[in-house]
Each structure stands twice: as C-alpha cells, then as structure tokens.
Amino acid sequence: MGGLDHRLVPTSSGVLASVSPIPSAALSQRIRPAATSPELLRNFCIIAHIDHGKSTLADRMLQLTGVVDDRAMRAQYLDRMDIERERGITIKSQAVRMPWGVAGPDGQVVPYALNMIDTPGHVDFTYEVSRSLAACEGAVLLVDAAQGIEAQTLANLYLAMENDLTIIPVLNKIDLPAAQPEKYAEEIAGLVGGDPDDVMRVSGKTGEGVQPLLDRIVQLVPPPQGDADAAARAMIFDSVYDTYRGVVTYVRVIDGHLSPRERIVMMSTRATHELLEIGVISPESIPTDGLGVGEVGYLITGVKDVRQSKVGDTVTNAGKPASSALGGYRDPKPMVFSGLYPIDGSDYPVLRDALDRLKLNDAALVYEPETSVALGFGFRIGFLGLLHLEIVRERLEREFDLDLISTAPNVVYDVTMEDRTVITVTNPSEFPGGKIKEVREPVVKATILAPSEFIGTIMELCQQRRGDLQGMDYLSAERVEMRYMLPLAEIVFDFFDQLKSRTRGYASLDYEQAGEQVADLVKVDILLQGEQVDAFSAVVHKDKSYAYGVMMAGKLRELIPRQQFEVPIQAAVGSRVIARETIRAIRKDVLAKCYGGDISRKRKLLEKQKEGKKRMKTIGRVDVPQEAFIAALSSEAASNKDGKEKAKK
C-alpha cells in the first residue's frame, strides 16, 4: 500500500473519490489500541469453492493493509497447519484484523478496522464456514474467472443469504489466459441479482483490483449492531489449544465490553475464570485494553481443561452477567462413522487425550470409546465426510505421534425389528440378527455442476448408485446444474472419484443431509475358520452383497499368511455363505526320507499327516497379523484417496 498510486473512496454524496493511500504503519498504530467504535468496524468473510483463490486473495489483503510486511510474507499466510500448506487447502477458518484508511467528507482519512475471516471451501468443512458467517455482516463471494460457479459456491452463497449477509460478488484470477470474466460475471449477476458491471474483477496473485475491493467492503458492508451499555455478551466461534497458555478462545462481542483482569462466566457450563489477556489477531496476537461491540478477538484465561470452552457458548461478565445467552450454533451431525484404533494397545490413553484436544480445534468431531475383538480398544468417531476423516487421522498421527488403524467408513442406520423396537447402528457389528421389519438409511440432496456434454454419463453413474433425479437447470448454454437424491452410503466410498473421471475433472459436487429412506440392506460377515471377524463386517445393499463378499474374501486370501492347516475364508449374509476362498495349508514333505520302496509306506505317512492336519484344524486358531488388518482396511481408504484429491480441485 505504498507509493503515490490513488484509490477510489466514498464521499458524502456516495460517489467514489480518489485520494492517496495513507502509510500503513501510521494507520495500524491508530487502529490497534483499545476498542474501536462500531461505526468504524467491518466484519466480513471470504467464501468460495475449493481452489478458487481465497487464501491468495487474503495474502494480498494482508500485504496491502500493511499488517504483514514483504519480508515476513509467505504464500497461504493464514494457513497455519502443515497439512493445509502441503495440500493447498484451508481446513480451519482464520480471523485477522486489518487497518484500512478511507477519506471522509471533509477530506480527513478515516481509519477503519476490517475483521476478515478466511474460510475453507470443501463440503466437509461447511460447519466451519457457517460459524464464520455468524460472526460477520458481509461476505465476499469469490468465483474463479476461468472455472465459473461451482457446487460449493452455490452452497456457501445460500448459507450467507440465510444469515442475511451483504454479498459482494468478485471474480478472481482475471490474469489467467483462460479467464472469461464477462461470461462468468453475467452468470454471477443472474444468480445474486444485479448488473454484471457490479461484479468486481481482481487477481489475488498480482494484487490487481484488491484496493477497490477493500473500498467496496467499507462502502457496502454495514457496521455491527449492538448495545454498548448492556451487560457483556460475546459468542465463542472458535478455540485452539496452546501448550503453554492453555485454551485460547476466539470471540465476537455482540453487546457490552470485555476488559482484561475481570472475571468472566461461560453461560452454558457456568464456569468462572479470570481474563488474563484479551486482544485482537492482526495476524499475530496483539493484547489490547478490551473488546467492544462488534469486535472480533481472543481471550486467554489460563484454563487447561479443553471442555471448559465450548464453541457456540456465550461469555459474559461475572459481576454484571447477561440475563440470556446468545443463540449459539446448530450442532453438526456426523455423516460418516469410522473406528480408530492405536496399533500399539498401550497408546489408547494417548489417543483419548489427543481426541480431547483435537475436539477443541474441531467442534464437529464426535467420538465414543468402543472395543473390537480383533483390534482391541479404540474409538468410534463421527466425521462430516471422507476428507474430514482423512485430515483428522493425519493430524492425530502427526501432532500426537500415534500409529493408527481405521476401519472402513460407514453411515448410521435405523433398524426396526418385528416387535417395533428401533436400533441405531453406527457400527456394522451392532447390526441385529433375527426378524427385521425395515432398515432406514440416510440420504443426501446432491447438487452436481458440470458441462452439459456430460449429462448422460452423470445420470448413468447416479442410477448405478441408486440415485433419484430431482431436477435439472441450465445456468448457461454450456453448464448444467443437476439435483439428485442419493443414499449417503453410496457417496462415501468412490463416488467423487468416479464423477471426476467420467467428466474429465470438470464436475463439482456439493451435498447436504435430506432425511432417511427405507432400503433393502443386509450385513455381510467375514468368517475365518468359521469365526466371525467384526472388523471386516459391512452393511451393504442386498444387490451388492455378493460383490463385497467376493472382493473381501479374495483380498484376505492374499494378505493372511498360510497356516499349518487349511483355512476357509467365507463371506456370509446371516447363515447363508455367499462367497468362499481357501488358504492352502503349509505342507511338510513327509516323504523326504522315503528313498523308493513300497507305495503303501508312503500312503501310510501321508494318511498320518492328513489326520494330524484334521485334528489341528479343529483346535487350531487363525493368526491374522496386524499388517493384514491394516492392508485390508486401509486399501478401502486408498481406493478413495485419488477421488478425494481430485474432488478438492
């Protein structure tokens, strides 16, 4: 934000006028002390589909406003986790406060404070986005000028509209040779209502158009509303665990004022703490004299217990408490369940502690202890999707130095028995035997955006996955939006992968929960030597049970080492065996000492060996090595990995 370039700013008549930018260092000194007047605050977030340039645009804003100098700057500055930087995706929302000066009616530069939240783009992290939207008054809707509107763009736009936010449509990556800003500006204008000329054109890479965008945010986003004289009420929208400082809580102040060294109360748990430090993130933590109406910042109380700080809770003053709490957030409902077990059983307490800490960083995580005959002690964990599962497992392994094995992901089923009792099944081993009246499975409303030439192949894929077409609209002559009702169980395996490969990577998918439906589902058990192995059980549609049984039996035949006796591997539905493979026995050469001689002597030795094998088979136990479990279960995830990597793009 240096040099003698000019910027457009609003005047008293509402017309944009041009003034020189003020030095960022001087401006930041005027912004950071104590609380800022609500009229000078602008709270906004950046929402978009994955890989449309949210983090890159945020980088340019940080540089332009002077909160990060060129020497400290790095790509994806707000993405703090190694996984985020390696994969190039945002997993956690990050809030940052930036100073920005705009000329007032009298020509004096007015110092505004912009609170920006950079949000994730993947469908699995929609809950993270919804919490960010609740802390803002405006949203920058970012669309790639080379790709146009995609499924998650629509989903995030509808979320912002539900929260009554001011939408600022922006086309990013206009510097690309393949960019078509005029074409996609019309598409966006038709979606949000307005004129294509109102859609801003920026380049997060080069910085072109970012200054006018910041001015537009100041001009259009309304200042926060709240009662400065009322009892303090602040909404917790995120929190992290710091090894040295304990729980760091991120809040948005709605009413009143919070000051350091005062006692505060968490309204849902009634826990009381002393406020050791309060401040803003710009983009590093900067202590201040307090937070006022509309401000976004952090609180440190020194508390080490991660359960004390619940996302969605209301913070108030212990001396003058508020009479009622704020609305909070709707609890996220897990879509996919998977078991996580430590490979070394002694790591179970470490895994429990790790999940407690991770729960603070990831409010959508749901888990409960469970045991498996094959895998020992572990946890049944609910995830928002497959990418969420993959990220959580990777974070546990990296941040807490754990070696984990995860069971094949599955969804929740409601099983109604003949006597009208209803059983909720989160694990295939819980699937009841006996007379079942009906099984209900979760369904999702999926939105697929793709070039119109791929309509036929998408329909074929969705029909194979028991999908029901709900409607189809053309966004333009070349792009179509298809709405399907699909069973969630059919999406969580390789649906992304298949969709991407059939549309050469052009299709995008978004889905949301849409209730339940009755389905013809059965439980497929895998039997080794007649004994059921609970880790390999799965609930599948009746039509696909045979294929699953054959696939799993064949896989285990390759993975389980040969024993001293023959081992049958069977796949069964109830008492009916639908597939079988046999692991041949290791045979000792008992004829090695027979050099010629009568055949009857050889037959006698072979019969004796046969009797021994038969006796061993009745008392012998199949030893399944840990590597076989890991290979059989992780190969399920491995087959989806490529699909998810493509889906992110």
Side-chain angles (χ1 to χ4, degrees):
M1 188 180 153
L4 298 173
D5 57 327
H6 284 59
R7 299 190 293 106
L8 293 175
V9 293
T11 63
S12 56
S13 61
V15 181
L16 292 176
S18 180
V19 299
S20 300
I22 63 173
S24 57
L27 179 57
S28 62
Q29 291 304 313
R30 295 167 63 181
I31 291 290
R32 287 174 185 169
T36 303
S37 165
E39 290 77 32
L40 299 179
L41 282 173
R42 296 294 184 270
N43 298 326
F44 72 98
C45 60
I46 306 175
I47 54 175
H49 188 79
I50 251 191
D51 204 30
H52 279 209
K54 295 179 296 300
S55 298
T56 310
L57 178 62
D59 288 349
R60 294 295 80 74
M61 288 181 172
L62 294 177
Q63 279 184 298
L64 204 58
T65 54
V67 294
V68 180
D69 59 28
D70 292 340
R71 186 176 57 181
M73 192 64 204
R74 64 175 192 272
Q76 293 173 259
Y77 190 89
L78 294 177
D79 290 345
R80 301 301 170 92
M81 285 188 276
D82 291 340
I83 304 174
E84 291 181 312
R85 306 189 67 76
E86 286 169 20
R87 290 171 174 256
I89 60 171
T90 302
I91 294 166
K92 270 197 74 61
S93 298
Q94 296 289 346
V96 62
R97 178 164 168 150
M98 306 178 296
W100 189 244
V102 172
D106 55 357
Q108 288 290 313
V109 176
V110 181
Y112 286 88
L114 310 180
N115 288 314
M116 175 188 71
I117 302 179
D118 179 25
T119 64
H122 196 278
V123 60
D124 282 12
F125 304 112
T126 302
Y127 179 64
E128 197 85 16
V129 179
S130 68
R131 296 207 318 267
S132 303
L133 293 171
C136 299
E137 281 78 38
V140 172
L141 180 71
L142 205 63
V143 176
D144 190 325
Q147 296 181 48
I149 295 168
E150 305 223 29
Q152 195 60 26
T153 313
L154 288 175
N156 287 337
L157 172 63
Y158 296 148
L159 269 176
M161 286 176 166
E162 281 173 24
N163 284 271
D164 292 327
L165 300 192
T166 301
I167 312 290
I168 301 176
V170 177
L171 276 172
N172 192 22
K173 305 188 185 181
I174 57 168
D175 57 305
L176 291 179
Q180 297 174 282
E182 284 72 27
K183 175 185 172 183
Y184 292 125
E186 283 186 29
E187 213 172 89
I188 298 170
L191 192 66
V192 299
D195 196 86
D197 294 335
D198 294 336
V199 179
M200 302 204 69
R201 276 86 158 163
V202 304
S203 169
K205 189 176 180 181
T206 65
E208 182 185 345
V210 179
Q211 282 187 359
L213 173 58
L214 289 168
D215 288 329
R216 182 75 66 91
I217 289 166
V218 170
Q219 186 183 13
L220 297 182
V221 175
Q225 302 296 315
D227 186 352
D229 301 320
R233 289 197 303 172
M235 169 82 80
I236 299 176
F237 69 89
D238 206 353
S239 47
V240 294
Y241 185 84
D242 186 287
T243 311
Y244 304 103
R245 312 181 83 184
V247 178
V248 180
T249 305
Y250 297 117
V251 296
R252 152 79 194 262
V253 180
I254 306 297
D255 296 320
H257 186 273
L258 289 173
S259 305
R261 292 296 166 185
E262 68 181 7
R263 293 198 71 77
I264 57 168
V265 178
M266 306 290 182
M267 293 191 75
S268 73
T269 59
R270 308 309 304 174
T272 308
H273 311 291
E274 185 183 358
L275 202 51
L276 302 180
E277 184 177 313
I278 187 168
V280 297
I281 302 118
S282 183
E284 308 305 327
S285 302
I286 300 173
T288 64
D289 297 333
L291 294 175
V293 171
E295 291 198 277
V296 175
Y298 68 92
L299 314 175
I300 295 176
T301 57
V303 173
K304 296 281 186 182
D305 185 358
V306 295
R307 297 177 201 84
Q308 298 275 349
S309 187
K310 262 180 70 181
V311 169
D313 200 356
T314 304
V315 179
T316 188
N317 194 309
K320 184 187 171 185
S323 55
S324 61
L326 296 164
Y329 305 109
R330 188 176 65 218
D331 284 337
K333 198 168 179 185
M335 305 275 268
V336 178
F337 282 83
S338 178
L340 271 186
Y341 297 85
I343 288 176
D344 182 353
S346 61
D347 282 340
Y348 176 76
V350 183
L351 176 59
R352 183 180 56 214
D353 187 44
L355 283 168
D356 279 346
R357 290 194 186 180
L358 200 60
K359 169 78 174 168
L360 190 71
N361 278 330
D362 188 348
L365 206 62
V366 179
Y367 57 92
E368 58 182 26
E370 77 165 2
T371 55
S372 162
V373 177
L375 302 173
F377 290 98
F379 287 89
R380 192 88 193 150
I381 306 180
F383 302 96
L384 300 178
L386 273 182
L387 180 68
H388 189 210
L389 185 159
E390 199 179 327
I391 294 296
V392 167
R393 180 179 167 175
E394 203 166 328
R395 286 187 68 185
L396 287 169
E397 289 180 339
R398 282 187 187 204
E399 295 172 25
F400 302 96
D401 196 25
L402 288 163
D403 289 319
L404 301 172
I405 174 173
S406 60
T407 60
N410 65 280
V411 299
V412 186
Y413 301 101
D414 286 331
V415 182
T416 307
M417 308 301 287
E418 287 285 359
D419 61 358
R420 304 268 177 193
T421 56
V422 179
I423 299 166
T424 301
V425 176
T426 58
N427 187 344
S429 60
E430 298 169 359
F431 200 86
K435 292 188 176 179
I436 294 171
K437 186 182 179 191
E438 68 175 26
V439 182
R440 301 186 70 82
E441 65 174 350
V443 291
V444 294
K445 200 160 118 189
T447 305
I448 300 169
L449 266 70
S452 50
E453 63 186 280
F454 298 115
I455 289 175
T457 187
I458 292 170
M459 281 185 166
E460 183 187 359
L461 173 64
C462 292
Q463 282 166 6
Q464 287 173 4
R465 301 306 174 96
R466 300 187 283 129
D468 182 22
L469 182 63
Q470 301 289 300
M472 188 164 68
D473 291 316
Y474 280 86
L475 298 178
S476 65
E478 297 87 26
R479 287 170 68 76
V480 66
E481 175 192 339
M482 302 171 75
R483 295 180 299 281
Y484 266 94
M485 201 69 81
L486 283 156
L488 180 59
E490 298 286 353
I491 281 185
V492 298
F493 285 107
D494 61 345
F495 186 79
F496 284 143
D497 188 21
Q498 291 288 324
L499 182 67
K500 285 288 177 183
S501 60
R502 288 178 184 229
T503 59
R504 300 204 297 274
Y506 283 112
S508 60
L509 172 76
D510 174 60
Y511 59 86
E512 61 182 44
Q513 216 157 357
E516 295 178 329
Q517 70 178 15
V518 177
D520 192 3
L521 302 172
V522 293
K523 177 189 172 192
V524 179
D525 290 314
I526 302 297
L527 311 173
L528 289 179
Q529 192 71 4
E531 287 185 24
Q532 184 183 323
V533 184
D534 59 350
F536 296 136
S537 297
V539 178
V540 297
H541 193 264
K542 193 174 183 180
D543 296 343
K544 298 186 178 180
S545 58
Y546 174 72
Y548 176 81
V550 170
M551 180 270 294
M552 208 60 175
K555 195 183 288 181
L556 290 174
R557 187 169 70 89
E558 302 295 326
L559 294 170
I560 296 174
R562 290 167 71 182
Q563 315 286 319
Q564 287 285 340
F565 51 92
E566 193 178 83
V567 179
I569 303 169
Q570 297 167 308
V573 174
S575 58
R576 186 166 63 90
V577 174
I578 58 172
R580 172 179 171 137
E581 293 282 355
T582 304
I583 301 173
R584 304 254 331 254
I586 299 173
R587 260 182 67 163
K588 181 183 174 185
D589 188 1
V590 292
L591 306 181
K593 58 188 176 183
C594 298
Y595 297 98
D598 188 12
I599 190 69
S600 61
R601 168 70 179 152
K602 295 180 182 177
R603 279 196 183 132
K604 188 177 177 183
L605 287 169
L606 288 170
E607 287 298 323
K608 190 177 178 184
Q609 184 189 45
K610 196 174 175 184
E611 287 300 317
K613 295 277 187 195
K614 191 184 287 184
R615 186 171 64 255
M616 193 183 289
K617 192 174 180 180
T618 59
I619 61 170
R621 186 174 175 278
V622 183
D623 180 36
V624 183
Q626 195 77 35
E627 294 76 31
F629 277 110
I630 296 167
L633 295 173
S634 64
S635 56
E636 291 291 328
S639 65
N640 296 306
K641 194 168 183 181
D642 296 336
K644 291 196 292 289
E645 290 295 331
K646 291 174 190 169
K648 285 179 289 184
K649 293 172 184 157

